[in-house]
Amino acid sequence: MRTETRWTRFALATWLCCLFTMQANAERPNGNSIEFQGQSWKGSPPVQLDAIYHQGQNSLRVRTNGADSIATVEGVQFQTGTIEMDVSAPQRSHPTLALFVDESGMNYDRITLNPWPQFNDQLPRRLRQGVVTTGVHQSVVVNFNHGNSVDWARERWFHVRLEVDEGICRIYIDDDARPAFLFATSDQAKSGGGVGIVSSSVFIRNLKICPLKQQAAKTPFGNSVSTRSIAGQIQ
């Protein structure tokens, strides 16, 4: 009799566990889409999206483990304006933003933020600041002194603001008056596109996307000036 009672309890507990799991999956299928702070995020496997409490703040954890895995904010067609957010990167990850993402999710400009001392050659801190253009899009690495190793180990929050106007993107860190980096946007930026996180693990919050009323203009420096020479103004 006791054996039957124990078996009945075990079966009931198993059934309830399966029921709760099914309900959770129905609310957030596969962890690839989520609503956070009034915005809808969507990714494809192996992207994982979770709303959690991190470093004392309600946060969206984005884990994009593949080389080109990407999570984007739905309904965004960004071309010129400002993008800002609070960022915290776990396990010495380098947060990487995706801008001007096309409908296929394959073409975009990527901006990798490297919050280590700028001239440290020791791995994994060795990321060379600059712009690499491949086809219609480009990869940008921004180095800035985020603080000492203690700050980084504690996954300190920092604020990033991007200002895109007249073919130039300026990147500001925290409350600095001077941009940490600037570069000429790629051809991909002319038609605009989505905004998201690509190939990195990161916590974000307070994402604000404010497009300008006017459309993006041609770079004021002329077509003869390369993105590499413009970016070289701030290094």
Side-chain angles (χ1 to χ4, degrees), residues 5 22 68 116 171 203 221:
T5 302
M22 291 173 61
D68 292 311
W116 289 105
I171 302 174
F203 299 95
F221 298 94

Side-chain angles (χ1 to χ4, degrees), residues 75-227:
V76 171
Q77 184 70 18
F78 180 82
Q79 192 173 27
T80 61
T82 61
I83 301 171
E84 58 183 308
M85 67 187 79
D86 298 322
V87 180
S88 176
Q91 301 176 355
R92 298 184 178 181
S93 173
H94 298 98
T96 303
L97 313 181
L99 302 184
F100 319 119
V101 184
D102 67 1
E103 292 183 358
S104 71
M106 299 298 294
N107 295 312
Y108 46 81
D109 287 1
R110 66 173 67 210
I111 300 176
T112 299
L113 303 172
N114 180 31
W116 289 105
Q118 186 168 342
F119 302 108
N120 193 322
D121 284 337
Q122 299 297 319
L123 294 175
R125 306 180 186 186
R126 188 176 180 178
L127 281 180
R128 296 303 184 190
Q129 179 159 285
V131 180
V132 177
T133 302
T134 55
V136 296
H137 53 281
Q138 59 192 8
S139 295
V140 179
V141 174
V142 180
N143 292 330
F144 61 95
N145 193 343
H146 174 63
N148 57 37
S149 58
V150 175
D151 288 333
W152 183 253
R154 293 175 181 173
E155 301 175 352
R156 169 184 176 271
W157 286 99
F158 64 94
H159 188 77
V160 57
R161 186 176 85 256
L162 289 77
E163 295 181 355
V164 182
D165 190 20
E166 296 184 332
I168 300 297
C169 178
R170 293 175 173 82
I171 302 174
Y172 297 85
I173 303 297
D174 288 332
D175 296 321
D176 290 346
R178 185 170 183 259
F181 199 70
L182 63 83
F183 63 94
T185 56
S186 66
D187 292 339
Q188 177 72 21
K190 295 178 181 178
S191 56
V195 174
I197 303 292
V198 63
S199 59
S200 62
S201 296
V202 65
F203 299 95
I204 65 173
R205 62 188 302 270
N206 297 332
L207 172 63
K208 297 178 182 178
I209 303 173
C210 300
L212 294 179
K213 293 182 180 179
Q214 65 270 29
Q215 296 299 312
K218 293 182 179 180
T219 169
F221 298 94
N223 296 329
S224 61
V225 181
S226 68
T227 57

Side-chain angles (χ1 to χ4, degrees), residues 28-36 38-50 60-64 68-76 98 101-105 194-199 204 207:
R28 192 182 60 200
N30 300 323
N32 301 131
S33 61
I34 196 170
E35 293 279 339
F36 182 75
Q39 296 159 335
S40 297
W41 285 78
K42 186 176 182 180
S44 57
V47 173
Q48 289 291 318
L49 302 169
D50 302 283
L60 174 64
R61 179 173 61 185
V62 183
R63 290 178 289 181
T64 54
D68 292 311
S69 59
I70 185 172
T72 56
V73 184
E74 294 191 276
V76 171
V101 184
D102 67 1
E103 292 183 358
S104 71
V195 174
I197 303 292
V198 63
S199 59
I204 65 173
L207 172 63

